Amino acid sequence: MKHNEILYISGHQVPDTDSICSAIAYAELKNRTTDYEAVPIRLGDINQETRFALDYFGVKSPIFRDTMQAQLSEINIDTSYGISPTTTLARATQIIQENHQNSLSIVDDDQKLLGVISLSNITNSYATVWNDNILGRSETPLENIVEVLSGQIVYWPEKPRERSGSIHIHAMDHINEIIAENDIVVVGDRPKAQEESIRIGASVLILTNNAELAEGMEELCKAYRVTVLRTPNSTYSTARLLPQAVPVRFLMTSENLVTFHLSEYLDEVQEIMATTRFRSYPVLDGRDRVVGSISRYHLINTPKKKIILVDHNESTQSVPDLNRADILEIIDHHRVANVNTAAPIYFRVMPVGCTSTIISQMYFEQGVRPSREAAGMMCSAIISDTLLLRSPTTTDLDRLALERLAPIAGINVEKYAMEMFRAGTDLTGKDPIDLLTGDVKPFDIEGSKVKVAQVFTLNSDSLKEMEPELIRSMQQLRKEQGLETYLLVVTDIFAENSLIFIDGAFAEEIAQEFHEKLQDHCYPGIGLLSRKKQLVPKLTAAISRAKEKNR
């Protein structure tokens, strides 16, 4: 099974609107301009604001993915050769040889796995001396016998006999002492041998070398309910071919089967393979249907996943096992941090207010008009990250991008922004833990682990009743996560001010950096809207100064 190579587009952990919408918009651009199957992914839950944007434009949420481990669904496996349980051993052998398979899956009408038959199962059966009644014991269908003998039915009675006896060749006198009722008898063109076999009550009479049924024998067959077949094969070949008519269900392995699902990770598959000795393993889909098979050689030199990072370039903010993937590009508007790559990559970082501003430029640079959905995603991201162009991070490029994208998205920017902010800033009934872990980013400043969460509101007074619980939750999270400092920035979008709640080390120094006094774990941030541009630089300066003083 071959696929277009998958390319993941990922925003950061604890995704915000820019992270999600940029991943979706850039995936569309890559799908339209490359041979990759670009798939946007998310590393956390969707917040209220982003959910509004997705629903408004009818866009599906990116799939959740928290690892770069490869899954079976992402590598090339052998095509499924699911065969019916009544398939002959001869046909099964042919399929295995023609398609260079180690084994075949036996499936029911719904493609559900019944068992497995391998080439070694079949060859071992040929080496085994089966007794003469193998066709009866295996309940071999008449169609199987006709198939392996390349034969044709000469006579088929209305009520055929049960084929429960042994296989015999009529080759001697006194055959009635050997042949019993319901046996399968191989004969040539001798009328006497044909008549004796019929009168004994053979279940099937096989005429070799295309012999004809002797005159008067058809009426006798009708009376004794004997089925008659004709084959072009010699008596020897017929005797050799008959055991190959046995259906595969008779030999298949149906117990203690080892199977894998498309959703399983290759590391897990390798561990299980290391403890078993099968040459090939059936692969099932989410409905337990057989879709292929996998062998050990499929796992040799499995290529790494390919990923593009948007709206971040710090490994601590990305998928936890980022080292398992090959980073192809980074599109971002933050400071350059600590992502390492194995080879040169396309790295585009610009001092703008939103990653989607950069992505919109890439659309227009390549002469590609975004779909309404992609344009809507990029508009939502720019409005969110620049607080409707009010944030100090806003640039003329952000304004131009929003101006160009809004008509394509079909929105009135002011009206849409108010609806989106209203959906995303309703703090009624919010759990303090949710506020502290919703939009949060980790930082390593001078060796100190710090987290900064931010929430936006149209009315910061709505938090007053929960402030004590908010502080307790902040203290709990800081201790549980081994952090030195935890901050929550509550930003009033239209008042263009923030309240900064803080717990842990350097609290006084950080407040002083803003020329404010800390009171009850809180101080005002007059004019503070941007975590990245206005808070983090002062945070870094305060911690650096405090550490320098203590040296």
Side-chain angles (χ1 to χ4, degrees), residues 7-207:
L7 172 62
Y8 291 105
I9 317 291
S10 174
H12 50 71
Q13 295 178 23
V14 195
D16 57 12
T17 299
D18 187 22
S19 177
I20 295 293
C21 293
S22 290
I24 293 170
Y26 201 44
E28 179 183 300
L29 181 60
K30 284 296 180 183
N31 281 325
R32 292 172 64 181
T33 59
T34 72
D35 292 330
Y36 286 110
E37 180 186 347
V39 178
I41 62 172
R42 58 184 174 88
L43 306 182
D45 294 332
I46 300 291
N47 65 34
Q48 292 179 140
E49 179 185 273
T50 310
R51 173 59 60 193
F52 172 85
L54 294 173
D55 291 345
Y56 187 94
F57 289 100
V59 176
K60 289 183 179 179
S61 171
I63 60 172
F64 174 76
R65 184 153 198 127
D66 60 354
T67 179
M68 284 292 104
Q69 288 189 59
Q71 292 175 291
L72 282 183
S73 59
E74 297 162 338
I75 67 171
N76 291 330
I77 62 175
D78 287 335
T79 303
S80 171
Y81 288 93
I83 60 174
S84 163
T86 59
T87 303
T88 66
L89 295 182
R91 178 61 182 144
T93 304
Q94 183 182 9
I95 293 172
I96 288 174
Q97 292 175 336
E98 288 178 351
N99 297 283
H100 309 289
Q101 300 288 305
N102 293 318
S103 62
L104 298 174
S105 298
I106 292 108
V107 298
D108 62 16
D109 292 341
D110 296 321
Q111 297 300 302
K112 300 290 182 69
L113 185 66
L114 298 175
V116 172
I117 190 163
S118 66
L119 187 58
S120 61
N121 291 144
I122 298 172
T123 54
N124 287 340
S125 74
Y126 294 159
T128 301
V129 180
W130 275 343
N131 58 23
D132 296 337
N133 71 340
I134 182 59
L135 298 186
R137 287 193 297 116
S138 63
E139 298 180 352
T140 299
L142 182 66
E143 294 82 359
N144 285 26
I145 299 173
V146 174
E147 178 184 325
V148 299
L149 296 180
S150 302
Q152 64 183 95
I153 298 175
V154 176
Y155 177 75
W156 195 349
E158 290 185 11
K159 294 183 179 179
R161 286 176 175 272
E162 181 182 357
R163 293 180 300 280
S164 57
S166 301
I167 304 170
H168 291 288
I169 298 173
H170 195 302
M172 62 183 72
D173 294 332
H174 311 296
I175 196 70
N176 57 346
E177 296 176 6
I178 299 173
I179 298 176
E181 189 175 0
N182 292 335
D183 283 349
I184 296 172
V185 183
V186 180
V187 300
D189 60 355
R190 294 179 298 143
K192 182 180 178 182
Q194 293 179 9
E195 181 177 352
E196 286 181 348
S197 301
I198 295 168
R199 290 188 182 278
I200 289 171
S203 59
V204 180
L205 187 68
I206 301 175
L207 307 175

Side-chain angles (χ1 to χ4, degrees), residues 11-19 310-314 316-317 332-335 353 355 385 435-445 449-454 481 483 485-487 530-533 535-536 539:
H12 50 71
Q13 295 178 23
V14 195
D16 57 12
T17 299
D18 187 22
S19 177
V310 297
D311 199 32
H312 72 295
N313 66 84
E314 294 192 48
T316 54
Q317 294 183 8
D332 193 18
H333 67 129
H334 297 97
R335 69 186 180 105
T355 302
D385 250 26
L435 297 179
L436 291 164
T437 59
D439 179 6
V440 61
K441 291 187 177 180
F443 297 94
D444 190 319
I445 301 174
K449 291 183 178 180
V450 179
K451 277 193 174 181
V452 182
Q454 187 170 23
Q481 298 177 18
L483 305 172
T485 312
Y486 208 118
L487 295 91
S530 170
R531 169 172 48 191
K532 175 182 69 175
K533 192 166 185 177
L535 177 63
V536 173
L539 193 61

Side-chain angles (χ1 to χ4, degrees), residues 160 179 256 471:
I179 298 176
N256 301 319
I471 299 301

Side-chain angles (χ1 to χ4, degrees), residues 76 149-150 177 233 235 251 306 322 351 357 362 429 431 475 494 500 528:
N76 291 330
L149 296 180
S150 302
E177 296 176 6
N233 292 289
T235 300
L251 281 183
K306 291 179 169 51
L322 185 61
T357 296
M362 297 172 75
D431 187 288
Q475 292 170 339
F494 293 109
I500 300 159
L528 191 152

Side-chain angles (χ1 to χ4, degrees), residues 270-281:
Q270 286 175 320
E271 288 179 10
I272 295 172
M273 282 187 175
T275 63
T276 57
R277 298 181 63 84
F278 302 111
R279 296 184 65 185
S280 183
Y281 302 79

Side-chain angles (χ1 to χ4, degrees), residues 363-377:
Y363 267 93
F364 297 124
E365 287 168 0
Q366 296 181 51
V368 178
R369 178 185 172 90
S371 66
R372 175 181 180 270
E373 291 76 14
M377 292 296 96

